[in-house]
Amino acid sequence: MGFARACAVALVGVEGVVVEVQADLEPGVAAFTLVGLPDKSLVESRDRVRAAVVNSGGEWPQKKLTVGLSPASVPKGGSGFDLAVAAAVLGAAERIDPRAIADLVLIGELGLDGRVRPVRGVLPAVLAAAEAGYRQVVVPEQTAGEAALVPGVSVLGVRSLRQLIAVLTGEPVPDEPQEPVPGRPDPMLAGLMVPGAGVGTGLSGGAGPRAGHRPDLADVAGQAAARTALEVAAAGGHHLLLHGPPGAGKTMLAERLPGILPPLTRQESLEVTAVHSVAGLLPPGEPLVHAAPYCAPHHSATMQSLVGGGNGLPRPGAVSLAHRGVLFLDEAPEFSGRALDALRQPLESGHVVVARSAGVVRLPARFLMILAANPCPCGRHTLEGAGCECPPSVIRRYQARLSGPLLDRVDLRVGVQPVHRADLLGQSGRGESTAAVAARVLDARQRSAARLDGTPWSVNSEVPGHELRTRWCLAPGALDVAERDLERGLLTARGLDRVLRVAWTVADLAGRDRPGAREVALALELRTGVARGSLAAAGGVS
């Protein structure tokens, strides 16, 4: 009778649980039993592991074999347990020393020929192993760079089970060349990218959804008010609504927002990389995401695709794929009302808790949301002489598709008007470049970060209203106009708090120590959409 154990990691959303893989051999009729709440793909590992061991030159034990996955109460799925199961079986059969694998975390799928194939979610799995105190992990060679992002962990990347056996037994490591056919994608990377798993996400340098193209704010003609709102949104992490007729430039502005966001910090990069690794959207050869992601789902997206869901344990939705980046909802009134209202909770908390029969998953969802909406179904309601034929009742119903509670969580609401001919065809309408605006945004972020140092918040949009009213006071008399709007019902209590947040962001962009009446007036105009002359006077934030 032989016994050995190794370790693997079960992912629940983007969080991992270390699983002890135990193999027990005892006399009896040759059989392979796998216990511990495995799913269908994990049950199939019995055949994969048996073939991989035999084809790697090992001898399969002709005894009663029981493999247990502990803790048994945690759901386990996927093919990433194959390598740990094979190591535990070989240890129980004394092909390798059981002590060499007792504290070793192994992650990887086995092919029938013994090659080790990469799997999704390596980064969060290694993070979970490191938090549990494990310091040695074995992963497929293709994902070794991703695993090495976790500090304090020794990573071994292997191409085949033969190489792993050789390393553990001190034998010469065989060479396993992996040269894909020129002109064809590497088949070993097929498991990392899931076709159809994306929800309009793009990670190409944070510059929008078109690979190889970096949109620049200098391409936008006119739209001084919208550009100001975009800069304020990026500097303070404020949600933004752009409303106006088709062709005015709402989508152009939204696609250029990721370019003016500051680069992700190390911790933020790890968070974003973990989500995209689990979702199967991490580009091969790019183990760490450095730029803010951009996610633009189609208006036919379901509530599950937005907030997360699916069969079994929920998978990350668009709000999680946009974590630390931008979620752009074009044609927002065309989205399902249930799907839009489901965004209210993550907008406030920065995470999503999805409960299913298979378990409860907590997914990160701290994103910057941009809504784009036309004024009516035909889009010509606000244009003079454009011939809008939508009845008033239809216009009211169309605009009511964006519920009041959702809009109350949007800090900035700006109208985007058609571009004038002089701005479109002349050079006078060209604004600043992305680089110039991004530099101001970075300075404002650094200023707010210094003020918020030692607090749980990093940007102005996260600071509770109570703290803004008591801890960081405005200039005397700065809130007079806002208080009158609150008394007249033009602002809710939440709306007043958000005006304070925007005012602080405007002050940070202008380099002022605290907001005054001018900053509050601009914040009110950006919040309520009621013209007060502040945007025209600003012409941008300075």
Side-chain angles (χ1 to χ4, degrees):
M1 184 175 75
F3 176 84
R5 64 184 179 90
C7 294
V9 178
L11 288 178
V12 183
V14 294
E15 298 177 352
V17 178
V18 176
V19 174
E20 190 175 88
V21 180
Q22 303 171 340
D24 177 73
L25 280 174
E26 55 187 50
V29 179
F32 188 170
T33 304
L34 184 64
V35 298
L37 209 59
D39 72 349
K40 178 66 174 176
S41 60
L42 185 48
V43 169
E44 292 175 349
S45 69
R46 296 178 301 185
D47 301 316
R48 292 195 299 269
V49 169
R50 181 187 292 112
V53 169
V54 173
N55 290 326
S56 297
E59 183 179 348
W60 187 258
Q62 298 301 315
K63 296 181 180 180
K64 181 181 179 181
L65 171 62
T66 303
V67 174
L69 309 175
S70 180
S73 59
V74 177
K76 306 166 191 72
S79 56
F81 291 83
D82 290 2
L83 201 56
V85 172
V89 172
L90 291 171
E94 298 182 351
R95 174 66 177 86
I96 58 179
D97 187 356
R99 294 173 297 179
I101 60 173
D103 294 319
L104 196 61
V105 177
L106 302 105
I107 304 166
E109 175 186 337
L110 284 175
L112 300 184
D113 57 355
R115 288 186 300 171
V116 180
R117 304 179 67 94
V119 294
R120 303 189 304 273
V122 166
L123 176 59
V126 177
L127 282 170
E131 291 175 359
Y134 293 87
R135 292 294 174 260
Q136 292 182 314
V137 298
V138 178
V139 298
E141 187 180 57
Q142 293 88 343
T143 56
E146 184 180 343
L149 296 173
V150 182
V153 176
S154 175
V155 178
L156 172 63
V158 295
R159 296 183 182 179
S160 67
L161 182 59
R162 285 182 290 271
Q163 286 188 340
L164 176 62
I165 295 173
V167 170
L168 294 176
T169 57
E171 301 172 359
V173 179
D175 185 25
E176 300 282 355
Q178 283 188 332
E179 297 181 0
V181 179
R184 295 184 184 178
D186 188 352
M188 296 294 288
L189 301 177
L192 296 180
M193 303 293 289
V194 181
V199 196
T201 185
L203 293 174
S204 55
R210 298 183 180 90
H213 177 62
R214 298 181 63 86
D216 196 290
L217 268 175
D219 301 335
V220 180
Q223 305 299 359
R227 291 173 62 99
T228 297
L230 207 69
E231 184 175 341
V232 173
H238 305 286
H239 306 302
L240 171 64
L241 167 64
L242 299 173
H243 55 88
K250 302 186 293 295
T251 302
M252 282 188 67
L253 288 162
E255 288 182 351
R256 283 149 180 79
L257 178 57
I260 64 176
L261 290 175
L264 299 178
T265 64
R266 175 73 177 187
Q267 179 60 36
E268 291 171 345
S269 292
L270 290 175
E271 295 173 6
V272 174
T273 303
V275 173
H276 285 79
S277 177
V278 169
L281 296 171
L282 195 62
E286 298 181 20
L288 187 64
V289 178
H290 296 281
Y294 175 93
C295 192
H298 190 260
H299 62 256
S300 61
T302 62
M303 182 174 67
Q304 289 76 14
S305 68
L306 283 180
V307 300
N311 296 327
L313 287 174
R315 296 184 58 79
V319 296
S320 297
L321 297 178
H323 180 60
R324 302 296 181 183
V326 177
L327 176 67
F328 176 45
L329 303 183
D330 200 4
E331 305 293 345
E334 300 294 341
F335 280 80
S336 162
R338 292 180 64 247
L340 289 176
D341 285 337
L343 299 176
R344 287 152 54 179
Q345 184 258 342
L347 285 174
E348 290 287 339
S349 64
H351 63 266
V352 174
V353 178
V354 184
R356 295 290 186 269
S357 59
V360 180
V361 172
R362 186 181 186 272
L363 300 168
R366 188 165 295 284
F367 55 91
L368 198 165
M369 181 181 69
I370 299 186
L371 303 173
N374 293 331
C376 67
C378 75
R380 300 191 297 270
H381 173 58
T382 57
L383 299 178
E384 295 183 6
C388 174
E389 299 179 354
C390 300
S393 59
V394 173
I395 296 175
R396 285 195 299 270
R397 284 197 300 270
Y398 184 80
Q399 295 178 349
R401 293 181 182 178
L402 299 179
S403 66
L406 175 65
L407 290 179
D408 204 31
R409 290 166 168 82
V410 178
D411 299 352
L412 313 173
R413 308 171 190 175
V414 178
V416 182
Q417 301 303 321
V419 182
H420 297 296
R421 182 182 63 180
D423 291 338
L424 185 62
L425 301 180
Q427 294 298 321
S428 60
R430 302 298 173 182
E432 293 177 291
S433 66
T434 291
V437 178
R440 282 203 304 271
V441 168
L442 181 60
D443 290 342
R445 284 281 185 108
Q446 292 173 344
R447 191 171 290 111
S448 63
R451 182 175 63 254
L452 299 174
D453 186 34
T455 70
W457 317 293
S458 57
V459 292
N460 293 324
S461 62
E462 300 173 0
V463 183
H466 173 73
E467 297 288 338
L468 292 174
R469 292 191 299 270
T470 58
R471 186 171 179 178
W472 293 289
C473 297
L474 278 65
L479 274 179
D480 290 347
V481 178
E483 291 172 355
R484 287 197 297 269
D485 284 358
L486 180 65
E487 293 175 355
R488 294 161 57 192
L490 295 178
L491 278 179
T492 63
R494 180 191 285 124
L496 179 61
D497 290 344
R498 293 183 179 275
V499 167
L500 290 175
R501 296 173 180 175
V502 175
W504 272 104
T505 300
V506 175
D508 288 335
L509 283 167
R512 297 185 175 91
D513 293 336
R514 60 177 178 171
R518 177 184 177 185
E519 287 74 31
V520 173
L522 178 56
L524 278 170
E525 185 167 347
L526 290 171
R527 167 74 185 181
T528 63
V530 178
R532 303 168 191 265
S534 302
L535 277 174
V541 181
S542 60

